[in-house]
Amino acid sequence: MSTYKILFTGPVGAGKTTAITSISDIEPFQTEESATDDVSKMKDNTTVAMDYGLIKLEDGERIHLYGTPGQERFDFMWEILSDGAIGLIILMNNLEPDPLQTLEKYLDAFSGHIDASGIALGVTRMETGEGPSIDDYHAVLSGRQITAPVMEVDPRVSNDVIRLTESLLYSLDPGL
């Protein structure tokens, strides 16, 4: 039986915890605590260490899902959690003040991991029509010579998250 690891990352409020919860075959493990800083203006709780979920495939293989905390003060967990991951899913909140600049920060922070594996980019909160377009996100990746799937995702909708996860897996192994 093979096991794989996929890492979900992105800023606070992008939907990492929700995405993992929506596709996990087990009750996810979450390390959420009450938000006490500026994050409390956005939401009541925030991830402080990690989220964990699991996908059980029909052939017995398993995909472990890890989510990073979004706050940069917990960025020491990013490297710890990325160890051994076959791929990275970056979720971006399109309603952030400057989501493209935030994406650049995550691409910098995970550059070594991106070079060694693959990524997929999911953009959340696009329903208002405000913020950058999918093409704008593609342009940021293209400017760094990164080829990756980019799509609009609602992390509450399991089919959206499954489609994003499958796009990552297909980009890693087109023969799947």
Side-chain angles (χ1 to χ4, degrees), residues 44-60:
D44 294 333
N45 296 316
T46 190
T47 301
V48 295
M50 68 176 190
D51 295 314
Y52 172 76
L54 180 71
I55 298 174
K56 299 173 186 176
L57 302 177
E58 290 178 11
D59 61 2

Side-chain angles (χ1 to χ4, degrees), residues 9 19 23 27 56 63 65 73 77 83 94 99-100 151 165:
T9 194
I23 63 170
E27 183 69 30
K56 299 173 186 176
I63 300 174
L65 310 169
R73 67 183 171 142
M77 289 299 297
D83 186 43
N94 204 48
L100 298 178
M151 62 188 67
T165 304

